[in-house]
Every structure is written in structure tokens, then in C-alpha cells.
Amino acid sequence: MNVTDLSVMALWGAATLYAIAMVAHAIRLARVADQRAAARVAVAAGSAASSAEASAGETGDAPAPASSVRTGRASVAKPAGIARSTTLVGAVLHGVGLIARGIDAGHAPWSNMYEYTISGSFFAVAVFLIVQRRRDIAFLGAGVTGFATVALGIALTVLYADVSPLPPALQSYWLVIHVSIAVLVTGIFIVSFIATALQLMRDYREEGELPVEGGPVRRAWRRWHNLLARSYDRARWLEAVPSATSLEALSFRLNAVGFVLWTFTVMAGAVWAEHIWGRYWGWDPKEVWSFVIWVLYAAYLHARTTQGWAGRRSAWLAIAGFVALIMNFTVVNLYFQGLHTYAV
Amino acid sequence: MARLKLDNYVVPEAPRLGVRGWLRWMWRQVTSMRVAIILLVLLALASIPGSVLPQWPQDAAATRGFIAANPFWGPLLDTLGFLDVFGSAWFTAIYLLLFASLIGCITPRTLHHWRELRRPVAATPRRLDRYASRGPVTVSVSADDAAARVGAHLRPRAGWLGALTGYRVRIDRRERADGTPEVALAAETGHVREVGNLVFHAALVGVLLAMGAGSLLTYRGQAIIVEGRSFTNAVVAYDTFDAGRLFNPASLDPFTLRLDTFDAVFDDAGRALDFTAHVTYTAPGADPVAAEVAVNYPLEVNGAKVYLQGNGFAPVMTVRDPAGEVAFSGPVPFLPQDAVYTSSGVIKAPDVTVGEQLGFKATLYPSAVEGPFAIGSVHPDPANPVITMLAFEGDLGLDEGVPQNVYRLDESQLSPVRGDDGQPLTLRLALGDTVELPSGATVSFEELPRFVALDLRADPSLPWLLVAAVLTLAGLATSLFASRRRLWMVAREVDGTTVVTGAALAPAHDTAVMEALERALAVASGGEPDAARDPGEREHQ
Ligand code: HEM
């Protein structure tokens, strides 16, 4: 087996494990939700289960005297363990695949779309695992591993490209500085995007349906709101996810780190552009979109401290920023002509 | 925050605003956070067409083509500024308004914060149970000692990091509502956060100013140099030259640059591995020095930088008129059209002694492979260079004094040279060949040197821009990672023991604040600050 095969096989292995992890995470979420619902019923019935236990179900590790909750605990621990170990082993295989690719290519494994995808999804999982060590964010697991599965699948089937030498334009230490941070930020924003998406779902679920009244625009808006509120009301697994407020706090912290690093990425890109093309900023499509992303996340940071914009509206701005990030990576790389076209 | 009220007359009691009132109202709107958010979103949206539609400054040829291909939309979009988004009036208006808003926003905040910094710490609230609180804990020292210990723990350590992260502390002895004494400690930190935020926003203005200064002072010229030839730095020597309004052409340093050789290395598949230009640089009155210019490694020459922007072949062609006199001789840069350097160029031979002027539209195939009907190149290296060309005779149109594009043949007064069959003649020359036209004129393909396209650029604003950018980043990181916290602690003596209660106030995302509070309480009871850090307590909310 040569290095090329090793890389591809390790990545396929990672994709498979992530898929299993995603299912296990999803089962865990559903069971935690059931458990909480059961605890709530128990409270309503006036049994011994106090409201404290209803919230203690969060990690599945908390002491829980009521018998229904105790059986619930066991049923949560198993998928939780499977999810944890498959994610971890998947990440190790993913890392092996990435390093093997780097050795095979003879340069940092982020010089074309295939390489960006495998490295960006690796960073997403790594960020998840690192944050997970410090606080319990297992509820993001299904989203992160699902994302990584899809990304690796697309990378290996559609985007795959044989190793190629670096074109002169990329022969620079800036490839390591600028692009590695860009890919890392992508990983961070993926995780925070999943948190923001959950936040919005929780938010609509918590707020519930609103009366349809007012002018035509307001009515249409309310209908849209109610549609979302109804569909998230049906999604019972959302019970296993923290409240919209704590998800907001989590995604803000990730977004804050992401934004600082993105600012750095854009600045480092400008310095590199100055080295290579003799101008630090030229509104090349890639530069335009990097700017759009930066400005949207800046709008998000403003919105979350502004009355009337904090919470849901600012979350939508963060989502817009993430969509722009994905656009920059897909549509801009594939369809727009510019100096960055070697990216494909 | 001012709410947008469009009609003041609906509220009879409201005073009429008058001109000054309206101006003030408008200024308040412009500097409101809401408007800042809207302008930011507008700025993002307004940028997008700049990546979707062809833009004049980035690609004039594509833009011209787009307008020609869309007779309705092309001119309309052009008039509306969509084909030069980043120079358009509306884009400029958005960002200028945003920066007006920014300045109007940070100036009062800076003044306010300056006063805030010098105000004493606010007293501890009467009731701590409204905030996230911890305790009460019982400690073995007096209330005064407990407060003093915590104060010492929270106050800045020596060194800049301590100064940045330390708390400002205030300790009061006061009476409770029931008349019993207590010692209250109030501590706050996070001014550095606000300072960072202000530095960040001010540095953004700096970035804009540096960029503006740059556009006035910079110059950029492009020159094509063929192997073995030199270039003298002067405005007339450039193929294209752009400069800011404040640039002085006399300030160009008249150095010369000679392209000795150009290395282009490709792998077997034709992928570029390395481009390096070996040049000799001669500053006025100095000895020549050898230097290299490569894609990521510009050459620094006296305040300017020389960048390697492109390369290609410049076949040396000689055209003789029917009398055998040289009508043109020299290297002709051919522009590469694809990855294997199939290149096209135009040869103009105006100086004929007999007959008509001659012009040629030519294509070079560096590694030509000829099939029955077509010819193509398989590799960018010149393994088998072949030039095919169409010849024209007539008037090249060079005498009118209108500058002509050297890569284009003005065919309006030319007619193709035809062969015996009456069809336009296609000439084919391998390296070293000479072919004869029906008129008796000849063309020779003599050598195949390479050329490089060099960009010379100087921008005196760059150091300033870098400083502003670094300040932006530093301010931003400080602002986002430093947290604004208030910690309070009340100690009182009850039945011979001291009871301490603590509370904290911080933004929701600051989940570590309770740890800080627990550490402070641990200190109050005489323990080590780290005692509160055992993992069991980590997840407490
Ligand atoms: C060029 C336009 C602007 C950009 C790119 C920008 C960017 C940012 C960013 C990234 C932050 C979050 C980081 C931090 O807290 O320091 C921020 C915060 C802030 N900005 Fe701006 N800003 C701009 C204009 C404005 C304007 C016009 C205002 C005034 C209305 C403003 C007021 C604020 C305030 C008050 C905060 C602090 C929010 C907080 O408490 O976290 N900014 N800005």
C-alpha cells in the first residue's frame, strides 16, 4: 500500500466512522429528550422527581433518583459512548489521511478544493473535540459529524484530485500562514453555525406561534414564523439541546474567535497579495467574498449588542456570514474567474 | 437608541424640530447602532455584484466584451456603476456614510470612557441575591481581613498583563438595613475591553486613511523585457503606467534592469514548477549587481518593488522587403493563450523600401505536434517551436500618429496575401526557417528568447497601513477576549464568625465569571485561589 492509498483509505474510514457517530449522536439526543419529557411528566404527576432532575438530564451523568430516569440514563450512556469513541477514532483516521496526503503531495495539504475540504472538515471535528473537553457540547455532535461525513464523501467522490506540485504562485510560506488559518476558521465557523442553527430552532420552539395580525407584510412574516415554530415544535429532540440563550453564548464565543482569526486571514492574504501581485487588495472575486464574510460577521457582532437585534436577528446575520463563507469556498472557486483560480 | 419616527406632527406635544433639530436628529440616526448594522449589511450586499459581473478595473477586456454581448443590459449596468462597483458613487456613499457613523460613534464614546476610567468604582449593591451569587461561606478571619485578602487577590499584579487584567477595587464599611455593620467589596475589570474596542474602530479609520493616501501616492508600471535586453526606469519606458494624483514622475529613479536569463521549469505534464528571472540591476552611478525576481519574491529597488507578473516567448523575426532590405527585425512578445503556451502575436514591418507594408498574425506552438488537419502544442517547453501565420499587405495605419496596440493588427487598410489558389496563405516556420511571400518579401524565424512581464510598484503608505492593520487586530482581540466583569462581596460578623457572600455580573457568554467568583471566595476563607478549581465544580452554572 502506498501513501496515496493510505490517505484515501484512512479518509474513507473516517467518513464511515463519522456516519456511525452521527447516528449514535442522534439517538443519544432523542433519548435525552425522551428522558426529559418523562421527567417532566413525573414532575407533573407530583412524583419524587424534582425539577432539578429534569435539568440534570443534560449530560446523562447526573444523579437521578426516579426509576424511569434511571433506565433512561443507561439508554443514553450507550449511544453516547459509541458516539464519543467513533468520533475520536474517526478524527484520528482523518488526521492520518490528512498527514499522508501532505507527505504524498510534498506540501501542506491545502492547495486545492479536495485538500481544503478534507482539511476544513478535519478542523471542524477537531474544534468540536477540543471544545468538548472543556464543556459539554455533545449536542453539537450529530451536526458536526454529519457535516464531516458529507464533506468527506463529496471530497473523495467529486472533488478528488491527484497530488500535484505547487504552482509558483503558491510556493510561499504564506501558504502555511494564510491558508491554514483560513481553513481553521472554516472549521470554527462550521461548529458555530451548527450551534446557531440549533439556537434558532430552539428560539422558534420556545417562542411558539404568534397571532397572525397586522398589515400584509407583518401577517406574511408571522405566517412564516408560525410555520417554523410549528415544525420545530414537532422536533422533540430539541428538548435535549440547551436553551436558545446558552446556545447564543456558545456560538458567540466561537464566532468571536472565528472573527478575530478571519480578520487575521484577510490581513495575511493582503500581505501575501502584496508579495505576489504587487497590490494588497484588488477586489478579485475571492477578495470580494472574504470582505463580504468579514462585514457580515461584523454586522452580527454589532447586532447582538443592539436592542431588538440581539438573539434571533443577529443569529440570522451569523447564518448569512456562514452562507457567504460556503459560497466563497464553492461557487467562487468553481465559477468566478480571478487570480485565485488555481484553487480549483 | 433613537427610534425612527418619521412624522413629528402626529405628536402634538412634541416640539417642532426646526433645521438644527432635524440635523441633530439625522446625526443621531446616522450614528446609531441600528444604522451601522444596516450600512454594514448594505456594504456586504453592494459588494456582491463586483464579483459576479466583469469589472473595468479588474478586466477591461471582459467588461468590454460583456457590454458588446448584452446591448441592453450592458450599457445600462455600466451607466449605473455595476461594472465598476468599487468605484461607483453608491458604493462610495455607503462606506463613507459608515465611516462618518463610525467617527460620530467613537468620538463621544472615547470621551465618555475617559471620564468613566477616572470615576471611582461604583458601590456594592444592597441586595446581592438579584445577581448570580455564591455563598454564604463561613471564614475564620474578621470581615475586614476577608475583604482585604480578596482585594489583594483581585488588584492588578505587577507587569503589563496584570495591569490589563486586574480589577479596580473598592472596599466600604457600611451598615445594613437592620443597623448591623458589614464590609462590602466591589471590584470591576474589563475597561481594557472598551479601550480595545475604541482602538479597533479608530484603527479602521486609520486603515481607510492609509489606503486613501496610498491611492494618491502610489505608482505602478508594467514593462516587458526580453532576455538579453534592458529597461530604464522612466515613465515613457513602461507599456502601461498608472500613478496617483500626488505622484511626481521626476521622482522615478533612473536605474536600469537587464534580463540576463529567464528560467521556466515545467514538469512532464506541463505544470509550472518554477519561474525565476535572473537580472542585472544598475542603480545610477553604481556598479551593476546580479539579482533574481521570482513569483513570490519581488526585488526591492530603492523604495519600489519589482514583481514577476508573467512570461512568454518573444520570437526574433526578420522581415525583408522584395528588394531584400530589412523592413523589420527584432523580438516580438507573443502572449500565451493557454497552459502549454500556445501564444499569439503580431508582427508589423512598416519600413519597406519597395512594395507595400507587411503585417503578420502569428501563432507560436512551443512543442508543436502536427496532425493531418491541425497543429497543436503539447508542452510549454520549446522542444519543437513552430510558428504559423497569416500575412497581410497594405497600410499598417501606423503613420496617423494614433498609438496602436502592439498585439493587434489594424486590418482596415490591409488585405491578406493570397496563394496561387486565391486562398489566404498560411505560412509555417520552424525555428531557423525563412519563407518567401509571392511578392518576393521574406520572413525568418531566427531565435526564440523568452520575455518577462515585470510590474514596478511603489506605495509609500504601506508601513502606515500595516501599523493600522496590526492595531485593528490587536484592538479587536482585546475587545472580544477581555471580559467586562463586576464582582461583589459582602462580609459580616455573625455570632463570632464571619459570613461572606459573593455575587457577579458579566455578559451571558462569560461562563468563566463564576469560577472567578469562587476563587475570590476561596481566598476570603484563607484558601488558595486554585482550590475552587477542582473539576467537579467546573460545570456548575
Ligand atoms: C466600518 C464599520 C464598522 C466595523 C467594521 C465595525 C466592527 C465591529 C466589530 C467587529 C465589533 C466587535 C468587536 C468589538 O467588540 O470590538 C464592533 C463592536 C462595536 N461597534 Fe463597531 N464597527 C463599525 C462601525 C461602527 C459604528 C458606526 C458604530 C456606532 C454606531 C459602532 C459601534 C460599536 C460598538 C458600540 C461596539 C461594541 C459592541 C459590544 O459591546 O460588544 N461600530 N464593531
Side-chain angles (χ1 to χ4, degrees):
Chain A
M1 186 166 73
N2 59 19
V3 183
T4 313
D5 295 338
L6 173 70
S7 168
V8 169
M9 279 166 60
L11 292 174
W12 272 120
T16 315
L17 286 172
Y18 288 154
I20 298 170
M22 178 187 67
V23 174
H25 272 298
I27 293 174
R28 192 201 75 102
L29 272 187
R31 298 225 174 126
V32 171
D34 285 348
Q35 198 182 9
R36 292 197 181 169
R40 212 176 315 109
V41 170
V43 172
S47 89
S50 71
S51 63
E53 277 123 32
S55 62
E58 171 113 16
T59 58
D61 310 331
S67 63
S68 63
V69 179
R70 196 171 297 126
T71 51
R73 259 185 77 196
S75 69
V76 166
K78 202 167 168 201
I82 294 176
R84 209 174 307 126
S85 46
T86 44
T87 310
L88 206 61
V89 178
V92 170
L93 279 182
H94 199 162
V96 169
L98 201 57
I99 292 170
R101 171 73 181 194
I103 292 170
D104 194 10
H107 53 76
W110 41 73
S111 73
N112 57 35
M113 280 198 60
Y114 169 67
E115 293 175 353
Y116 294 146
T117 312
I118 60 175
S119 50
S121 50
F122 174 74
F123 280 124
V125 177
V127 167
F128 168 72
L129 287 173
I130 290 168
V131 179
Q132 170 77 26
R133 280 180 62 86
R134 308 201 58 223
R135 53 170 76 195
D136 182 20
I137 54 163
F139 53 87
L140 295 182
V144 173
T145 49
F147 201 102
T149 310
V150 173
L152 279 181
I154 292 178
L156 288 163
T157 53
V158 182
L159 300 173
Y160 183 80
D162 285 327
V163 289
S164 62
L166 280 185
L170 295 184
Q171 291 168 13
S172 165
Y173 51 92
W174 286 104
L175 176 70
V176 178
I177 302 175
H178 167 72
V179 188
S180 65
I181 301 293
V183 176
L184 172 65
V185 183
T186 309
I188 294 176
F189 279 144
I190 288 170
V191 179
S192 78
F193 163 74
I194 293 166
T196 307
L198 289 178
Q199 174 200 341
L200 278 170
M201 294 179 193
R202 278 293 302 215
D203 197 52
Y204 282 106
R205 184 181 163 95
E206 283 165 23
E207 183 160 316
E209 295 191 38
L210 298 173
V212 178
E213 60 192 19
V217 177
R218 195 183 170 82
R219 292 170 78 88
W221 197 244
R222 285 273 166 100
R223 285 217 178 82
W224 165 243
H225 174 103
N226 290 347
L227 182 74
L228 293 180
R230 260 199 309 280
S231 35
Y232 297 132
D233 193 47
R234 257 177 254 130
R236 216 186 38 184
W237 57 271
L238 279 173
E239 279 302 307
V241 165
S243 69
T245 325
S246 36
L247 284 166
E248 206 286 331
L250 172 67
S251 63
F252 165 68
R253 299 194 47 155
L254 289 166
N255 279 333
V257 178
F259 186 76
V260 172
L261 290 178
W262 187 252
T263 309
F264 175 81
T265 304
V266 172
M267 285 176 179
V271 176
W272 191 5
E274 162 69 24
H275 268 257
I276 182 172
W277 297 313
R279 91 283 182 292
Y280 51 84
W281 199 265
W283 296 114
D284 175 83
K286 201 87 191 170
E287 293 167 352
V288 171
W289 281 85
S290 301
F291 176 76
V292 169
I293 294 163
W294 190 77
V295 169
L296 285 174
Y297 277 105
Y300 154 79
L301 287 174
H302 281 174
R304 67 179 294 284
T305 63
T306 307
Q307 215 189 345
W309 288 71
R312 195 182 303 153
R313 277 202 213 178
S314 63
W316 278 114
L317 282 172
I319 297 233
F322 183 74
V323 170
L325 187 82
I326 295 299
M327 283 286 288
N328 197 19
F329 177 69
T330 52
V331 177
V332 176
N333 275 357
L334 293 174
Y335 298 107
F336 293 174
Q337 282 299 312
L339 292 169
H340 285 82
T341 34
Y342 48 72
V344 182
Chain B
M1 190 129 318
R3 274 207 162 264
L4 202 72
K5 285 213 188 67
L6 286 179
D7 190 352
N8 275 276
Y9 300 95
V10 296
V11 187
E13 291 82 19
R16 297 216 170 176
L17 284 174
V19 176
R20 290 188 50 183
W22 272 108
L23 285 178
R24 200 176 309 128
W25 178 84
M26 267 164 55
W27 181 243
R28 268 216 298 275
Q29 292 300 326
V30 166
T31 57
S32 79
M33 199 74 156
R34 196 176 303 263
V35 169
I37 300 171
I38 291 170
L39 287 173
L40 282 168
V41 173
L42 275 180
L43 191 66
L45 291 179
S47 312
I48 293 175
S51 72
V52 179
L53 295 167
Q55 302 285 301
W56 283 114
Q58 276 74 34
D59 194 344
T63 315
R64 211 174 291 116
F66 175 80
I67 296 178
N70 298 280
F72 177 74
W73 286 108
L76 183 67
L77 289 172
D78 194 25
T79 317
L80 294 179
F82 279 92
L83 302 186
D84 181 9
V85 165
F86 303 103
S88 71
W90 39 273
F91 190 82
T92 313
I94 296 174
Y95 78 76
L96 286 185
L97 212 57
L98 187 59
F99 273 89
S101 166
L102 176 61
I103 292 166
C105 175
I106 58 171
T107 317
R109 275 177 55 208
T110 309
L111 294 176
H112 177 254
H113 191 64
W114 175 247
R115 273 183 244 121
E116 187 90 326
L117 266 179
R118 302 191 307 166
R119 234 203 307 270
V121 178
T124 309
R126 284 280 157 193
R127 294 186 53 186
L128 292 187
D129 51 2
R130 297 187 186 168
Y131 304 94
S133 57
R134 284 285 185 273
V137 295
T138 312
V139 303
S140 55
V141 294
S142 70
D144 282 322
D145 284 352
R149 275 189 193 170
V150 176
H153 163 64
L154 292 175
R155 283 204 179 89
R157 306 272 146 84
W160 62 271
L161 191 66
L164 284 181
T165 55
Y167 287 74
R168 301 199 308 152
V169 177
R170 155 180 182 161
I171 299 177
D172 299 299
R173 280 194 198 164
R174 63 187 192 191
E175 274 188 5
R176 293 163 57 83
D178 60 9
T180 54
E182 69 179 10
V183 181
L185 174 142
E188 60 179 48
T189 186
H191 285 284
V192 62
R193 189 197 128 86
E194 183 75 3
V195 173
N197 180 294
L198 292 170
V199 168
F200 165 75
H201 285 89
L204 282 183
V205 179
V207 169
L208 189 73
L209 289 179
M211 289 175 78
S215 74
L216 293 176
L217 296 168
T218 184
Y219 75 82
R220 168 183 208 130
Q222 284 188 312
I224 280 184
I225 313 181
V226 178
E227 276 177 311
R229 311 240 160 172
S230 334
F231 159 85
T232 302
N233 188 28
V235 172
V236 290
Y238 287 101
D239 299 322
T240 61
F241 190 84
D242 301 301
R245 232 170 268 164
L246 297 181
F247 167 77
N248 173 11
S251 70
L252 282 187
D253 188 31
F255 62 79
T256 58
L257 204 62
R258 194 185 119 92
L259 178 63
D260 301 322
T261 53
F262 178 69
D263 293 342
V265 184
F266 300 92
D267 67 6
D268 290 342
R271 291 180 293 217
L273 295 179
D274 181 49
F275 294 130
T276 305
H278 301 273
V279 297
T280 304
Y281 167 69
T282 315
D287 290 335
V289 284
E292 285 180 3
V293 192
V295 176
N296 265 297
Y297 302 89
L299 173 69
E300 303 221 14
V301 290
N302 193 24
K305 281 193 195 145
V306 181
Y307 299 88
L308 178 60
Q309 288 296 55
N311 64 78
F313 291 103
V316 175
M317 308 297 293
T318 297
V319 180
R320 290 171 202 273
D321 64 19
E325 300 293 332
V326 173
F328 170 83
S329 183
V332 183
F334 276 39
L335 297 184
Q337 305 296 320
D338 58 22
V340 287
Y341 281 58
T342 307
S343 311
S344 63
V346 159
I347 302 148
K348 297 177 188 179
D351 300 326
V352 284
T353 55
V354 289
E356 296 188 282
Q357 291 183 327
L358 293 167
F360 304 88
K361 275 168 53 175
T363 306
L364 166 73
Y365 303 91
S367 284
V369 173
E370 287 167 82
F373 305 107
I375 173 170
S377 180
V378 292
H379 196 273
D381 277 335
N384 175 31
V386 169
I387 290 177
T388 61
M389 56 193 187
L390 289 172
F392 294 83
E393 43 189 18
D395 184 349
L396 290 169
L398 292 174
D399 305 330
E400 272 97 83
V402 186
Q404 253 199 10
N405 185 334
V406 293
Y407 302 107
R408 265 223 167 103
L409 203 58
D410 174 5
E411 290 173 47
S412 59
Q413 300 168 69
L414 294 173
S415 50
V417 172
R418 291 173 194 280
D420 298 336
D421 54 0
Q423 291 300 310
L425 203 59
T426 302
L427 312 175
R428 180 195 169 287
L429 295 87
L431 186 57
D433 284 354
T434 298
V435 294
E436 194 174 327
L437 300 184
S439 65
T442 59
V443 203
S444 323
F445 175 15
E446 294 175 344
E447 284 172 59
L448 190 60
R450 294 181 189 259
F451 74 83
V452 295
L454 294 181
D455 260 28
L456 245 97
R457 167 159 162 169
D459 185 346
S461 72
L462 286 181
W464 296 105
L465 186 63
L466 189 65
V467 169
V470 169
L471 281 176
T472 306
L473 196 62
L476 180 68
T478 318
S479 156
L480 284 174
F481 300 147
S483 51
R484 191 158 22 190
R485 290 177 180 169
R486 284 167 191 275
L487 296 186
W488 296 295
M489 217 191 67
V490 172
R492 64 195 166 98
E493 289 164 16
V494 185
D495 306 331
T497 59
T498 304
V499 177
V500 184
T501 310
L505 180 64
H509 59 261
D510 183 0
T511 44
V513 67
M514 293 321 276
E515 278 173 38
L517 180 63
E518 280 157 18
R519 249 172 284 150
L521 283 180
V523 168
S525 22
E528 285 295 307
D530 285 344
R533 265 206 181 160
D534 71 286
E537 302 208 57
R538 206 183 52 192
E539 293 298 340
H540 272 288
Q541 284 293 320

